[in-house]
Structures are given as C-alpha cells and as structure tokens.
C-alpha cells in the first residue's frame, strides 16, 4: 500500500480517477478488452510506479510490451478503476487488503503475481526506541481495517500491547486485551500517518508512505515487520477473467525477473524486499 497537501480520500480518489479516465480516453487504450493496446496499470507512486517505470524504460520494449503507468495516491481508486475497466491492472496492495476490499465493495479483483514486501514500521520524532514511549503516549495508526490490524499486530509483536486471542485482519483498538503503557491511538488515513509525526508520539506507517516521507524503514523504524512468513506482499492484480491477457502475463514475468530484483535491492536497500 505519497506526499503533498492534506486531501481527503474522497478528493484524492475523485481527482485520480478523473486523471486516469481522461488519460486512458486520450490514448485510446486502457480497456481490458483491448489486448493489442497499451497495458495501463494503476500504481502507488512509491515504490510501485517506480518499479513499473523501471520495467517500462528498460525491459518492456524488448519483451514486446507497451506499458502505461498511472499513479494514484489513495488505496481505493486503483481497485475501482480496475473493476470498471478504466485501467487494465493495478499494483499497490496485499492479499488481506484485497480480500477485505472485494468483500466490502463487491469487486472482483484477483492477484496475478507477488512482487515485493514493504515492511510496516513504527516511527517517531520524539523518542529513539519503542521502550522510551511514555505512559499515555499517542500513536497514529492507519484507519483502513486491514492496515490498522496490521499496525496493532506489529505493536503486539514487540510487546507494546496484547491483542485478544483469535483477532484477525479487522482488529481495532477495542480488541486490545492488555495495554500496560495506556497507549492512545489516533486513526488516520494511511497516507497521513507520516505527516502526523510532529503531532503524535509515534506513528505506524506503511512502507511506501514512509519512503515518500524520506524515512528509511531499514534504519529509521523503531520496530519493523519481519519479512519471514509475511502475508502482506504486494502484487500485480487484474479484474477476474483477465489473468490470461498476454500483456498481463508479459508484465508478470518482467516484474519477477532478475533485473527487477536487482533494481529493488539497489534502490531500496532493504526498505523494500523482493518476494521472488
């Protein structure tokens, strides 16, 4: 799952969708049924669009793929645009998020290939370690159901809280069983969490938004998700039925190539981890 003025998700989504629709319309491509046209992929700016643009500039032409990358700054529009055919595919999300999105919105988005993991981290401008958080400290967490649960699981894994037994991917602060530091939680849109660091004691930030905010997850996070057995890998996704589109297959192969793995390792230095 980057950066400028504070806008609501609705405004971001509306603007991004308008941009995506107009751009697709002007190019004459972007329909999933147009298998001979450019493959239009919606992506979060970092690292997803950066990885796609590396593919576009270095690998796509040789593979016979015409790739068009559309950047979106929210976590909703890429799926709704994929569902309605405004774009052919998207690259920004993980499986728990997609499962929740499809269930709640009645969409039919399916994963194609997992490319990378962005470890979720806890950051602070006020303390140097998680142990240094004072009693009653306020922690900002993403407010979408999957990422909020993921944030709480990160805090629990590092001994800051204890969650009730059996809590799944829809955990909220009400599912905290033990809170020895009496931590308070400020629920924000995921993109806003790094911008809240001057106003809260700490914030749990998605990897892509951390990088956009010039945070280095591998070195700046007070605590960081482990990559081992992590279910939150980010993947290329399409509307169900389009998995066998030849353009999608070409992109899936390129995204899991040795060249892309090296690009991820060199550019992100452990803040983004290849999953293949």
């Amino acid at each position: 799952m980057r950066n400028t003025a504070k806008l609501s998700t609705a405004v971001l989504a509306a603007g991004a969708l308008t941009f995506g629709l107009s751009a697709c319309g002007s190019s004459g491509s972007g329909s999933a049924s147009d298998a001979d046209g450019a493959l239009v992929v919606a992506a979060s700016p970092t690292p997803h669009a950066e990885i796609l643009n590396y593919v576009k500039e270095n690998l796509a032409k040789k593979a016979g793929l015409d790739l068009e990358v559309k950047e979106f700054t929210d976590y909703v529009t890429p799926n709704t645009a994929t569902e309605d055919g405004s774009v052919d595919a998207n690259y920004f999300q993980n499986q728990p998020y997609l499962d929740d999105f499809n269930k709640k919105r009645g969409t039919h988005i399916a994963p194609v290939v997992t490319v990378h993991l962005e470890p979720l981290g806890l950051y602070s401008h006020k303390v140097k370690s998680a142990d240094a958080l004072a009693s009653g400290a306020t922690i900002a967490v993403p407010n979408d159901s999957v990422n909020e649960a993921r944030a709480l699981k990160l805090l629990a894994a590092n001994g800051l809280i204890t969650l009730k037994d059996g809590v799944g991917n829809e955990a909220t602060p009400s599912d905290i069983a033990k809170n020895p530091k009496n931590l308070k939680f400020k629920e924000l849109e995921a993109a806003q969490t790094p911008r809240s660091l001057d106003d809260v004691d700490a914030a749990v930030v998605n990897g892509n938004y951390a990088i956009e905010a010039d945070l280095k997850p591998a070195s700046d996070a007070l605590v960081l998700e482990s990559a081992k057995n992590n279910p939150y890998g980010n993947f290329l996704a399409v509307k169900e039925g389009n998995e066998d589109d030849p353009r999608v297959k070409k992109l899936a192969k390129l995204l899991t190539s040795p060249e892309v793995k090296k690009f991820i390792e060199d550019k992100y230095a452990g803040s983004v981890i290849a999953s293949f």
Side-chain angles (χ1 to χ4, degrees), residues 20-195:
L21 288 170
S22 62
C24 291
S26 64
S27 67
S29 62
S31 169
S33 62
D34 183 13
D36 294 325
L39 181 71
V40 183
V41 183
S44 297
T46 304
H48 310 80
E50 292 174 350
I51 294 170
L52 287 170
N53 281 320
Y54 170 81
V55 170
K56 178 179 180 179
E57 294 164 10
N58 296 278
L59 305 174
K61 184 175 181 181
K62 185 177 180 180
L65 175 65
D66 185 3
L67 179 61
E68 189 173 344
V69 182
K70 299 296 182 187
E71 296 187 12
F72 294 82
T73 56
D74 71 296
Y75 284 168
V76 175
T77 317
N79 275 337
T80 56
T82 303
E83 178 76 10
D84 69 22
S86 302
V87 300
D88 301 302
N90 66 58
Y91 174 34
F92 78 101
Q93 66 192 317
N94 57 55
Q95 192 67 59
Y97 180 84
L98 177 59
D99 290 344
D100 182 73
F101 193 98
N102 278 336
K103 179 181 178 181
K104 290 181 175 177
R105 293 179 178 260
T107 46
H108 307 84
I109 311 300
V112 176
V113 66
T114 301
V115 181
H116 76 269
L117 171 71
E118 302 160 24
L120 198 73
L122 177 69
Y123 301 86
S124 178
H125 286 171
K126 298 178 181 178
V127 298
K128 298 297 184 182
S129 71
D131 291 341
L133 286 167
S135 178
T138 298
I139 298 180
V141 294
N143 65 3
D144 64 275
S145 58
V146 170
N147 280 307
E148 182 168 48
R150 187 179 174 189
L152 295 174
K153 288 178 181 180
L154 173 67
L155 299 178
N158 287 275
L160 292 170
I161 59 173
T162 300
L163 293 172
K164 297 174 183 176
D165 290 341
V167 168
N169 291 322
E170 296 185 357
T172 69
S174 65
D175 294 304
I176 295 173
K178 296 181 181 178
N179 186 358
K181 284 181 176 283
N182 193 30
L183 299 173
K184 297 178 174 61
F185 296 93
K186 186 173 184 178
E187 298 167 303
L188 299 173
E189 181 185 344
Q192 301 294 333
T193 54
R195 301 170 196 162

Side-chain angles (χ1 to χ4, degrees), residues 2-7 191-199 212:
R2 294 177 154 187
N3 15 314
T4 49
K6 286 189 176 181
L7 297 175
Q192 301 294 333
T193 54
R195 301 170 196 162
S196 73
L197 282 168
D198 289 332
D199 302 317
E212 285 179 0

